[in-house]
Amino acid sequence: MVKLVYFAWVRERIGKDEEELDLPDSVKTGSELIAYLSGLGENYAEALQFPKAIRIAINQEHVDHHEAIAGAREIGLFPPMTGG
């Protein structure tokens, strides 16, 4: 079981702040996680329709999409940050 936390417009489109999911063994990286979540429903598909734009944090540390997610306690998904 892993805790997924959604931020900004990802959260708004999915419709929840966070959730806990049992991921299938086939989901091993951040990019595979995004692909898996996109298949969970229309709201997920809309939120994650541009996977390369989604940022990923594992245990509150920014990682690349190819990073392994095994052993993660928490995974955050969020859009690119803007400065100001």
Side-chain angles (χ1 to χ4, degrees):
M1 181 91 48
V2 66
K3 179 179 180 179
L4 300 173
V5 183
Y6 308 115
F7 296 93
W9 54 258
V10 175
R11 175 187 64 231
E12 293 165 9
R13 290 177 179 147
I14 289 176
K16 54 181 90 173
D17 294 340
E18 61 185 52
E19 64 184 323
E20 290 194 10
L21 290 178
D22 277 321
L23 300 174
D25 292 337
S26 61
V27 177
K28 298 182 186 313
T29 66
S31 60
E32 290 172 348
L33 172 65
I34 292 171
Y36 171 76
L37 292 173
S38 293
L40 293 183
E42 187 176 313
N43 51 340
Y44 290 90
E46 181 183 343
L48 304 170
Q49 66 182 315
F50 303 107
K52 291 182 180 182
I54 301 297
R55 303 283 313 263
I56 300 171
I58 296 177
N59 300 330
Q60 300 182 355
E61 189 172 317
H62 292 255
V63 299
D64 291 327
H65 282 215
H66 68 272
E67 189 79 26
I69 62 171
R73 295 179 310 282
E74 178 183 281
I75 300 173
L77 299 174
F78 47 95
M81 306 288 186
T82 57

